[in-house]
Amino acid sequence: MNEILEILENDARTTPEEIAKMTGSSAQAVKKAIKKFEKDGVILKYKTVINKELVKDEGSDVRALIEVKITPKKDVGFDYLAERIYQFPEVSACYLMSGTYDLLVVVEGKNIHTVSNFVSSKLAPMENVRGTVTHFILKKYKEDGDILRQAKRDKREAISL
Amino acid sequence: MAENIPPSGIRVFFDLVLGMKDVISLGIGEPDFVTPWNVREAAIFSLEEGYTSYTSNKGMIELRKDISGYLKDRQTIAYDPEDEILITVGVSEAFDLALRAIINRGDKILIPEPYYVSYGPLVTLAGGRPVFIRQSPENGFKLTPEDIVKHCDGRTKAIVLNYPNNPTGVSYTRKELSAIARVVLKKKLIMISDEIYGDLTYDFDHTAFPTLAGMKKRTIYLNGFSKSYAMTGWRIGYACGPKDVIAMMTKIHQYTMLCAPIMSQMAAREALKNGERSIRQMKREYKRRREYVVSGLNEAGLPCHKPEGAFYAFPSIKNSGLSSMEFAKKLLKEERVALVPGTAFGPSCEGYVRISYASSISNIKEALIRIKRFLCSQN
């Protein structure tokens, strides 16, 4: 991957000046490259990775992976139905899969009822949806490459030759 | 013999650092990464499988074969796993064995300064006489063929070269090494080449010393897993060289260490087999930090060459008007940043400090801010 993207993916708050220092180029050139990435849609947005397990205030969200079997529509294949599904704000991810089912839909809700309600009232009754299997996530260990746990202490001696 | 070795002056400063809390340390000579998981997992599995015995004195033949393969592919040099490779407890042991194998009482060993701390004392312990070659900062702390010639006499047996270098990060191009090799040949020296940081070379391909014309039979090549695979605590390294030298080293090794720990050997096998990706990732990260540190130091008013390898920068602190030790102590007390005074690597390194960038970029950023503030407060 492009080095600027790699740096930003790891820490979106790295400034163009800092990236320039790390890559041995000019801040101007880095700014220009980032602008282009944003314009081309390579960089979609800048987010903060939050460990929701530790956010106590509003009760942690429930998340489910739903296997969806569908009958592809003539001419538009799976894309038509996928689009109808991923537009729902409850859907946080949607993938077309190889194997025994077609779409993998990740759904988030306040609690188990809101999620099952979404499946039974919105997803399952859709035309061309042949069936769904819902898996609730019980515990998250690692997400998008980040381990959801406090960083371990540096075990090295504070100074060595 | 041990009485002849002066106590390490740096120890007092180390105790100062270790006794202080909330220090950002740029004084650490080992990777901040932990050993890649696949390597750790392989060692755990080997324990489950009951690999808890001694191995052959030379190390497991499978590992020696893997090392031989790695050297052929990556360093373009062929060593016979049967009798030209010895697995050791880190390069430190390998270095000691090499000296004890070749030194006759009173032999002189050339050691370029700045040097890694253990070189001089180990030469003395082996009955040799260390001869230090001071390298000038004007020449970027690089050893030149002329330096070698100037310091040679009839008793000079060998020369030690560590590149990329701890503490300076300096490395050499193939052309520069060839010039050194010609002198080694002419003066009939043995080269003890400590290439533990070889895989961490950023601007050009690392040249292994034994690949140079006529050098394979004159070189004891030392390498290991500590730095590039982030495996310092495993204590595993190796030496390669001419059959007779390796046989001699093996003899000493078998009476002292017997063999390197089997779990470390198992881990090393996995590192060589599937470690390429982790190495590349860590190297990219180090390179980025190097650029950041060097430009940050120069901006702050500590002139610094761009080091070609390892994870150290060696800036001059002469602008501060302080000695290396004063600088390190004051910076530690006033700003809680630890680094190593240059004088730990030889008296001629007064006016320099070693900064290790084996630390997260956020630590490096904060440390540079503090160093800048410290320098402003001094003027």
Side-chain angles (χ1 to χ4, degrees), chain B residues 229-352:
Chain B
Y229 292 95
M231 290 178 67
T232 46
W234 301 81
R235 308 310 306 126
I236 181 119
Y238 52 92
C240 306
K243 250 185 238 179
D244 54 331
V245 178
I246 292 298
M248 198 88 77
M249 288 171 69
T250 305
K251 204 158 61 178
I252 307 166
H253 172 77
Q254 83 186 21
Y255 290 134
T256 51
M257 288 298 172
L258 214 158
C259 68
I262 189 168
M263 39 295 246
S264 299
Q265 294 193 46
M266 295 298 280
R269 289 191 62 193
E270 172 64 21
L272 285 176
K273 220 174 290 165
N274 299 309
E276 187 69 27
R277 188 173 157 225
S278 312
I279 277 207
R280 266 207 314 266
Q281 239 167 23
M282 291 189 274
K283 188 173 155 182
R284 270 214 307 279
E285 179 67 27
Y286 286 134
K287 183 168 186 237
R288 233 171 259 159
R289 296 175 188 175
R290 172 186 74 149
E291 306 291 333
Y292 195 86
V293 161
V294 170
S295 77
L297 289 171
N298 281 311
E299 252 172 45
L302 300 182
C304 179
H305 278 287
K306 191 190 269 190
E308 291 94 353
F311 36 66
Y312 307 110
F314 204 61
S316 160
I317 50 111
K318 288 173 185 161
N319 289 339
S320 70
L322 300 168
S323 74
S324 299
M325 186 57 98
E326 281 167 354
F327 185 93
K329 276 186 181 164
K330 267 188 122 175
L331 181 65
L332 180 67
K333 278 195 189 128
E334 291 175 21
E335 292 288 355
R336 309 241 153 187
V337 173
L339 37 72
V340 180
T343 41
F345 309 98
S348 69
C349 304
E350 181 56 82
Y352 292 84

Side-chain angles (χ1 to χ4, degrees), chain B residues 14-278:
Chain B
F14 275 27
D15 290 340
L16 207 62
V17 176
L18 296 174
M20 209 173 267
K21 276 195 178 131
D22 304 321
V23 171
I24 296 183
S25 184
L26 301 185
I28 308 181
E30 60 178 320
D32 55 316
F33 302 103
V34 295
T35 306
W37 175 248
N38 63 313
V39 175
R40 285 186 279 158
E41 206 272 337
I44 294 167
F45 184 67
S46 78
L47 285 175
E48 283 174 351
E49 289 288 290
Y51 282 95
T52 57
S53 62
Y54 294 133
T55 70
S56 137
N57 292 132
K58 287 185 199 162
M60 303 170 89
I61 183 65
E62 295 87 350
L63 176 57
R64 282 182 277 140
K65 280 181 180 163
D66 291 346
I67 288 170
S68 174
Y70 157 85
L71 291 172
K72 196 175 272 166
D73 294 346
R74 296 282 300 274
Q75 314 285 357
T76 64
I77 175 109
Y79 278 113
D80 187 344
E82 288 298 336
D83 47 19
E84 291 180 327
I85 299 175
L86 170 65
I87 313 292
T88 58
V89 180
V91 167
S92 292
E93 192 218 353
F95 190 84
D96 182 40
L97 295 177
L99 293 173
R100 290 205 263 168
I102 62 167
I103 288 178
N104 293 315
R105 187 163 291 277
D107 280 347
K108 290 182 181 171
I109 309 293
L110 302 180
I111 301 175
E113 181 178 333
Y115 47 71
Y116 182 65
V117 272
S118 69
Y119 291 170
L122 286 178
V123 168
T124 308
L125 283 172
R129 281 183 289 169
V131 174
F132 298 104
I133 307 178
R134 296 191 169 178
Q135 294 157 89
S136 75
E138 291 74 38
N139 194 34
F141 289 110
K142 277 199 171 178
L143 181 71
T144 64
E146 298 76 41
D147 285 336
I148 303 174
V149 174
K150 245 185 281 173
H151 288 80
C152 274
D153 65 22
R155 288 308 303 270
T156 311
K157 185 67 158 280
I159 176 163
V160 174
L161 193 59
N162 168 222
Y163 68 96
N165 182 269
N166 177 8
T168 61
V170 163
S171 196
Y172 299 84
T173 61
R174 190 168 188 89
K175 201 172 156 208
E176 290 168 323
L177 289 169
S178 298
I180 291 172
R182 280 195 291 275
V183 178
V184 168
L185 198 64
K186 200 166 130 204
K187 295 285 176 188
K188 296 194 171 61
L189 300 176
I190 296 169
M191 168 60 81
I192 302 178
S193 193
D194 178 352
E195 304 186 26
I196 185 72
Y197 292 98
D199 278 328
L200 298 176
T201 304
Y202 307 115
D203 301 323
F204 44 79
D205 286 335
H206 176 81
T207 299
F209 205 82
T211 62
L212 300 163
M215 283 302 109
K216 193 180 166 202
K217 57 174 188 261
R218 310 206 71 88
T219 304
I220 306 176
Y221 170 88
L222 309 180
N223 200 349
F225 298 85
S226 292
K227 311 296 179 173
S228 48
Y229 292 95
M231 290 178 67
T232 46
W234 301 81
R235 308 310 306 126
I236 181 119
Y238 52 92
C240 306
K243 250 185 238 179
D244 54 331
V245 178
I246 292 298
M248 198 88 77
M249 288 171 69
T250 305
K251 204 158 61 178
I252 307 166
H253 172 77
Q254 83 186 21
Y255 290 134
T256 51
M257 288 298 172
L258 214 158
C259 68
I262 189 168
M263 39 295 246
S264 299
Q265 294 193 46
M266 295 298 280
R269 289 191 62 193
E270 172 64 21
L272 285 176
K273 220 174 290 165
N274 299 309
E276 187 69 27
R277 188 173 157 225
S278 312

